[in-house]
Each structure stands twice: as structure tokens, then as C-alpha cells.
């Protein structure tokens, strides 16, 4: 019969010691790392909480990554909008009606200064941040606007703004520089002057109103319908100073007037016609004065209006230029063919530009910061500076150098030194004066339109530089507020995670000492009782 050497359950004792050894190993790991467990499985009942907190922390880091990118772009946009506002202010104060400068220096330098401002605007619109273009809405992989040279002069056989302006000006002025108005000769015995639009189209002058304070000697009528026409009929001699005022709508929608005043002077001045007892002669005098005034205005205010109308046509807010068609002279405006005309804008055209580029900065907040170069404030900068950059304002020396005017002087000097030469030289000086005055009228027309376009009165309009800046400020505030929330929440979550995943070093050290004492006692007892056997007592 075999008798066991011991009656003590040694295997059970070894199992308990093994468990305590594993606990000691785990606590030594905790003491060394400060973590409750080295694997997810070791987290036990704390695992769901740990996973949830870590998932939220990862999400916060994702939002913070978005915010960092947004903050970089918003910082760039803020600096750009500040500069755009500065350019707007500079343009508004750089040129004013009647401010020609000493020796017409403002007239001479305005095109160059405007070109420099246009180039700066285009350059900023085409800047990219880390390879991303910011002024084309959600089209971020290419410059939204053509270069300044291409915009103005075209490229590869395609027309630029200068050529479209030339077409528009020809369509507005007409072949006889009468602004597309017909002014037939006075019919004998009628004492009447007739003025009419030459058709139904968007070009040239449009007859809007007519009035006189010379009744009953002067009668004015305006027919209903389109194209419009009007008439001025003389039945007796008006009193000197009495006048006729004809209201005209210009190609850009603005209004102007031609005022013709009766005078007894044999050689009437500008805007005047000579009174005569014969109604037909007086009507002829009125017609001559009207023709002169319309042609004078055609090279001044009408040209300014046509230049801005062409800017509106070419720099269209949907990115598709328009150009005159039909004729000649032109009878309609049509969308340009991209094979023939440069398309100035290549970005997105959304009804809600800000929403075209957006990023979530937390679960409930989205920062919207999309911008399109076609928005009204930016578009007005491009249009006005392009219009002023391509327009020249001849000073007196330039007017005298014009071949048609210089020829009058040469013809005068070829005459004998008598009254005929004097009269011819007076004609020459009158032509110089008229040309110089027309140049100043063009300058004034351009200045007044830029002043209107750059007016602070547009600040509250959608798409203005100020409104865009305000919208970007809202996005910046949303981003910064989200950053603050994320920082506070992250701190709370990290504290919670510390409580869930880490251990107290002091408590762990004390637990190790206690376990060590128990383990040593277990070793001693197990060693002692493992020697007990029945054979030792027999």
C-alpha cells in the first residue's frame, strides 16, 4: 500500500501563492507606469468609461485640427479684407469731381494709380494659403480671377476689357457721336426741332424728360411709347434767359440734362442759342446748339457712363461677360463666347457665398467663411479701378496736339496776317477749349461714378466689404468660442480619464508591502506544512 508523503493540500497552497505573485507583478507594473492595466482587457469594469472618454478626446482633437486650419485662413482673410477696405478708402479720396490738380496732375496720374490699385486687388484675390485659393467659393484649386494684363488686354486672341469697352463706346456714341439720337434738319415753315432715339436697344442716350419756361413762344412735346421722340416748336421770340431742358438717361442708368438758353448774342456761348424773329432760323439755331451739346457730352459724361456700363458688362457678377452684338451700330447685348472673350472669373457663383466653404468646429457649430470675388464690394473695386485704369484724360497740351485741332492752327497760320487768320485762330482756340472742357467733363463723370460706387452708403449692402468682414468676424468668434469650450472640456475629460485609468502611487506601494508580507507568510507556512507526513510519526 502506498502512503502519501504529506497530508497537506500543497497544490492548493501553490495556487494561492501563484495568484498573489501575479497580483504582486500587476501592482509592480502599476507602480512603475501609474496605469491600472497595460491592456484594454485589464481595465475590467472601467473599460466602457475609458473607451468613451478617449473617443470624445479624439473627436476634440479633430475639431481642434479644423480650428487651426480655419484660424489660419481667417487670419489671412481678415488681413485681406482690411486691405480691401483701405483700397476702397484710397480710391474714394484719390479723385473727386473738379479736383484736377495743379497743371491737371490728377488727370494725368489717375490712370496709372488706378491700374496699380487694380493690380493689387487682383493679386490679393488670387493669393493662396497653403495651396488653397480663398476668393472663389468652393473652387479652391485654381486662381479665381485672371491676371490684370489678361483682364484688360485679353489673351490668345480672346478680347479683354479694353476691346469690349471700345465696342460698347462705339455702340453708345454712334457713328455721328450723337449718342444714338437722330436730329433731322428743320423742315421749312415748321419752326420745329425733332429729336428721337434710333431704336429699341440698351445703347446711347434715352430721352427721359423735356421742359421749358419759355411758353407760349416755345412749345415742347414728348410722344409716348418706345423708341421715344420729342419736339421743340418756336412760334415767337422767347425772352433772353428762357430755356429748354432735355433730360437724358445714360447707358449706366444715371441721369443728365442738356440745357439750352435763349440769347441775343450773335455768337452764342456754350449751351445757348440765338433768338431770331424767323421761327425756322431760331429752330435751326436751337438745333445747332443741341447738336453741339450732345456731341460735347458724348465725349464727356456719355463716355464715362459707357465706360462704367462696359465694366458692368465685362465684369458680370455671374462671371460671363456680355458684349454688343448686331449692327453696326450694335442693337443688343449678348453673352460672350469663351473662345472670343476672356472670362474674368473662374470661381463659384453661389447665392450664399459664406456657406460655400464651411467647417464644423464642434458638434453643433459650423464656421462659414466662403468668399467669392463676384460679391458686390469686391466687384465694385475691380470694376471701378479697371474703368479708371483704361481711360485717359487729355490735358490742354494733349488737346492741342490732336491732329484734327492742330490742323486748324496750321490752316490759320497759312493764311495772310489779317482778320481771316484771326478768325481762324479764334476757331482753333475755341476747339482747344471745347476739347479740354470735354476732357474735364470725362474726368468729372468718372470721378463721380467712382465716388458713388465707393460710397460708405453701400456698407450695409449684402456682399459689401464691411458685411463680408462682419461675417468673417462671426466665423472667427465661433471658432474661438469653440476652442475655449474644447479646452475646458478636454481638461475635464483628462481628469476623468486619470481617475479611471491610473492608480495612486502611495496606495499601490502600501498594497505591495501588504501583499509582500502575506506572500512571505504564505511561503513560510507552505514550506513548513509541506514537510508533514504520516511516515514521520510512525
Amino acid at each position: 500500500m502506498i502512503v502519501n508523503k504529506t497530508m497537506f493540500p500543497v497544490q492548493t497552497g501553490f495556487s494561492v501563492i501563484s495568484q498573489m505573485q501575479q497580483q504582486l507583478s500587476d501592482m509592480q507594473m502599476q507602480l512603475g507606469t501609474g496605469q491600472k492595466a497595460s491592456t484594454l482587457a485589464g481595465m475590467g469594469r472601467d473599460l466602457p468609461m475609458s473607451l468613451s472618454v478617449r473617443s470624445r478626446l479624439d473627436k476634440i482633437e479633430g475639431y481642434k485640427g479644423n480650428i487651426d486650419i480655419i484660424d489660419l485662413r481667417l487670419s489671412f482673410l481678415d488681413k485681406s479684407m482690411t486691405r480691401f477696405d483701405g483700397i476702397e478708402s484710397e480710391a474714394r479720396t484719390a479723385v473727386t469731381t473738379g479736383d484736377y490738380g495743379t497743371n491737371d496732375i490728377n488727370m494725368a496720374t489717375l490712370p496709372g494709380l488706378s491700374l496699380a490699385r487694380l493690380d493689387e486687388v487682383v493679386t490679393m484675390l488670387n493669393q493662396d494659403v497653403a495651396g488653397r485659393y480663398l476668393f472663389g467659393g468652393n473652387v479652391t484649386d485654381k486662381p479665381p480671377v485672371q491676371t490684370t494684363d489678361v483682364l484688360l488686354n485679353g489673351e490668345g486672341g480672346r478680347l479683354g476689357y479694353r476691346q469690349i469697352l471700345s465696342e460698347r463706346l462705339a455702340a453708345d456714341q454712334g457713328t455721328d457721336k450723337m449718342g444714338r439720337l437722330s436730329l433731322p434738319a428743320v423742315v421749312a415753315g415748321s419752326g420745329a426741332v425733332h429729336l428721337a432715339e434710333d431704336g429699341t436697344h440698351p445703347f446711347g442716350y434715352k430721352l427721359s424728360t423735356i421742359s421749358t419756361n419759355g411758353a407760349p413762344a416755345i412749345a415742347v412735346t414728348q410722344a409716348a411709347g418706345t423708341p421715344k421722340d420729342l419736339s421743340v416748336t418756336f412760334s415767337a421770340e422767347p425772352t433772353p434767359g428762357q430755356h429748354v431742358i432735355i433730360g437724358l438717361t445714360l447707358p449706366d442708368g444715371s441721369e443728365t440734362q442738356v440745357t439750352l438758353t435763349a440769347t441775343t448774342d450773335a455768337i452764342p456761348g456754350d449751351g445757348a442759342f440765338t433768338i431770331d424773329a424767323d421761327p425756322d432760323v431760331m429752330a435751326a439755331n436751337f438745333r445747332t446748339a443741341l447738336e453741339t451739346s450732345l456731341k460735347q457730352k458724348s465725349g464727356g459724361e456719355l463716355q464715362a457712363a459707357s465706360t462704367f456700363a462696359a465694366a458692368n458688362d465685362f465684369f458680370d457678377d455671374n462671371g460671363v461677360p456680355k458684349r454688343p452684338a448686331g449692327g453696326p451700330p450694335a442693337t443688343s447685348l449678348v453673352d460672350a463666347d469663351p473662345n472670343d472673350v476672356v472670362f474674368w472669373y473662374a470661381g463659384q457663383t453661389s447665392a450664399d457665398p459664406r456657406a460655400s466653404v464651411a467647417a464644423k468646429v464642434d458638434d453643433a457649430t459650423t464656421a462659414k467663411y466662403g468668399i467669392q470675388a463676384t460679391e458686390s464690394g469686391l466687384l465694385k473695386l475691380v470694376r471701378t479701378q479697371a474703368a479708371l485704369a483704361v481711360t485717359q484724360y487729355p490735358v490742354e497740351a494733349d488737346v492741342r496736339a490732336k491732329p484734327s485741332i492742330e490742323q486748324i492752327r496750321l490752316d490759320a497760320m497759312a493764311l495772310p496776317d489779317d482778320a481771316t487768320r484771326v478768325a481762324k485762330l479764334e476757331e482753333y482756340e475755341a476747339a482747344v477749349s471745347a476739347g479740354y472742357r470735354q476732357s474735364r467733363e470725362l474726368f468729372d463723370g468718372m470721378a463721380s461714378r467712382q465716388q458713388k460706387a465707393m460710397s460708405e452708403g453701400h456698407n450695409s449692402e449684402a456682399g459689401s466689404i464691411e458685411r463680408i468682414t462682419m461675417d468673417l468676424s462671426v466665423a472667427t468668434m465661433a471658432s474661438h468660442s469653440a476652442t475655449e469650450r474644447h479646452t475646458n472640456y478636454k481638461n475635464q475629460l483628462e481628469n476623468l480619464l486619470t481617475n479611471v485609468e491610473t492608480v495612486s502611487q502611495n496606495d499601490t506601494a502600501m498594497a505591495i508591502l501588504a501583499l509582500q508580507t502575506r506572500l512571505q507568510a504564505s511561503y513560510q507556512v507552505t514550506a513548513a506544512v509541506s514537510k508533514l507526513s504520516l511516515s514521520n510519526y510512525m
Side-chain angles (χ1 to χ4, degrees):
M1 180 179 68
I2 299 176
V3 180
N4 288 335
K5 292 183 179 181
T6 178
M7 297 178 67
F8 181 78
V10 177
Q11 188 65 37
T12 300
F14 285 160
S15 175
V16 172
I17 290 173
S18 178
Q19 290 176 5
M20 286 191 290
Q21 286 176 331
Q22 182 61 46
Q23 289 177 8
L24 181 61
S25 175
D26 290 343
M27 284 190 287
Q28 286 175 329
M29 182 275 295
Q30 291 173 349
L31 185 64
T33 64
Q35 301 295 314
K36 284 185 178 180
S38 59
T39 64
L40 292 176
M43 290 296 299
R45 64 182 182 181
D46 291 329
L47 178 59
M49 177 67 73
S50 175
L51 292 176
S52 176
V53 172
R54 286 190 175 277
S55 174
R56 187 62 196 178
L57 286 171
D58 289 342
K59 201 168 187 179
I60 288 175
E61 287 303 313
Y63 284 137
K64 290 182 69 176
N66 283 350
I67 291 171
D68 289 341
I69 295 173
I70 293 170
D71 284 348
L72 173 64
R73 294 171 183 168
L74 286 174
S75 175
F76 170 83
L77 289 173
D78 179 66
K79 290 180 173 62
S80 297
M81 297 311 298
T82 299
R83 182 55 191 146
F84 284 135
D85 186 59
I87 294 174
E88 183 183 59
S89 178
E90 290 172 12
R92 185 168 53 247
T93 58
V95 53
T96 56
T97 303
D99 184 13
Y100 311 115
T102 304
N103 296 322
D104 295 325
I105 185 65
N106 291 344
M107 294 173 63
T109 59
L110 180 58
L113 294 174
S114 300
L115 178 60
R117 281 192 284 269
L118 173 64
D119 193 53
E120 185 177 1
V121 169
V122 170
T123 299
M124 287 197 296
L125 291 175
N126 283 338
Q127 280 185 322
D128 67 283
V129 177
R132 183 185 179 96
Y133 296 93
L134 302 182
F135 288 95
N138 64 5
V139 180
T140 60
D141 59 344
K142 59 183 177 181
V145 180
Q146 298 284 354
T147 65
T148 305
D149 182 66
V150 172
L151 288 176
L152 298 183
N153 303 312
E155 180 184 47
R158 294 178 299 151
L159 306 181
Y161 171 59
R162 289 184 191 273
Q163 292 83 5
I164 297 301
L165 168 58
S166 178
E167 292 180 355
R168 177 74 201 228
L169 187 58
D172 284 325
Q173 289 181 332
T175 55
D176 55 2
K177 307 298 183 183
M178 285 284 290
R180 304 295 293 269
L181 297 178
S182 64
L183 185 61
V186 175
V187 176
S190 68
V193 176
H194 296 279
L195 184 66
E197 299 170 8
D198 72 350
T200 303
H201 51 70
F203 306 113
Y205 297 121
K206 300 302 174 187
L207 301 174
S208 58
T209 61
I210 185 169
S211 62
T212 182
N213 63 353
I218 306 174
V220 296
T221 58
Q222 183 169 2
T226 55
K228 294 181 179 179
D229 64 82
L230 53 81
S231 63
V232 180
T233 304
F234 296 91
S235 58
E237 293 185 36
T239 302
Q242 291 182 327
H243 57 255
V244 175
I245 300 176
I246 299 174
L248 303 169
T249 301
L250 295 168
D252 64 347
S254 60
E255 294 289 326
T256 189
Q257 293 178 337
V258 170
T259 301
L260 299 177
T261 304
T263 179
T264 56
D265 296 340
I267 302 178
D270 298 326
F273 63 96
T274 303
I275 297 171
D276 195 278
D278 186 335
D280 284 352
V281 173
M282 189 157 45
N285 292 343
F286 180 88
R287 181 191 177 284
T288 299
L290 177 57
E291 180 179 10
T292 300
S293 294
L294 290 173
K295 288 183 176 180
Q296 178 76 12
K297 191 175 288 290
S298 179
E301 195 169 4
L302 175 65
Q303 182 174 337
S306 181
T307 302
F308 272 77
N312 292 342
D313 296 341
F314 185 81
F315 300 101
D316 190 83
D317 58 6
N318 67 2
V320 180
K322 293 180 174 55
R323 66 183 302 188
T331 56
S332 64
L333 277 172
V334 299
D335 289 344
D337 186 325
N339 296 317
D340 299 330
V341 178
V342 168
F343 277 39
W344 79 279
Y345 178 68
Q348 182 190 21
T349 53
S350 168
D352 186 2
R354 235 54 76 234
S356 64
V357 180
K360 290 184 72 66
V361 294
D362 67 22
D363 291 343
T365 306
T366 300
K368 300 178 181 180
Y369 60 98
I371 303 180
Q372 297 169 182
T374 53
E375 295 189 63
S376 63
L378 301 174
L379 188 54
K380 285 175 182 175
L381 273 179
V382 173
R383 285 172 172 172
T384 57
Q385 299 317 296
L388 270 67
V390 301
T391 305
Q392 300 296 319
Y393 314 93
V395 298
E396 184 175 347
D398 298 327
V399 174
R400 292 183 181 278
K402 286 185 176 180
S404 59
I405 294 179
E406 174 63 7
Q407 189 60 49
I408 299 175
R409 188 189 70 82
L410 293 176
D411 291 344
M413 299 308 295
L415 296 172
D417 189 7
D418 55 18
T420 304
R421 174 190 282 189
V422 171
K424 196 68 174 178
L425 288 174
E426 288 177 351
E427 178 187 345
Y428 165 70
E429 290 298 334
V432 171
S433 177
Y436 182 44
R437 186 171 64 255
Q438 188 177 67
S439 180
R440 287 191 164 193
E441 288 173 358
L442 174 60
F443 179 90
D444 287 343
M446 298 295 288
S448 66
R449 282 164 176 79
Q450 176 177 259
Q451 287 276 308
K452 183 178 180 181
M454 299 291 99
S455 170
E456 295 281 5
H458 297 295
N459 289 358
S460 61
E461 296 176 0
S464 69
I465 290 173
E466 290 73 16
R467 283 282 296 272
I468 295 174
T469 303
M470 186 178 298
D471 291 343
L472 295 179
S473 297
V474 171
T476 300
M477 290 174 61
S479 174
H480 290 176
S481 296
T483 298
E484 185 176 354
R485 291 195 300 274
H486 291 323
T487 300
N488 294 335
Y489 193 22
K490 181 181 179 182
N491 291 337
Q492 294 173 348
L493 291 174
E494 287 177 340
N495 289 335
L496 177 60
L497 194 62
T498 297
N499 294 333
V500 171
E501 294 186 347
T502 63
V503 295
S504 168
Q505 300 284 46
N506 291 334
D507 291 346
T508 303
M510 293 299 293
I512 289 175
L513 290 175
L515 183 60
Q516 183 180 7
T517 300
R518 289 166 49 207
L519 187 57
Q520 287 174 346
S522 295
Y523 282 151
Q524 291 173 355
V525 171
T526 301
V529 299
S530 66
K531 297 176 181 179
L532 295 177
S533 66
L534 183 60
S535 61
N536 290 338
Y537 295 94
M538 291 181 69

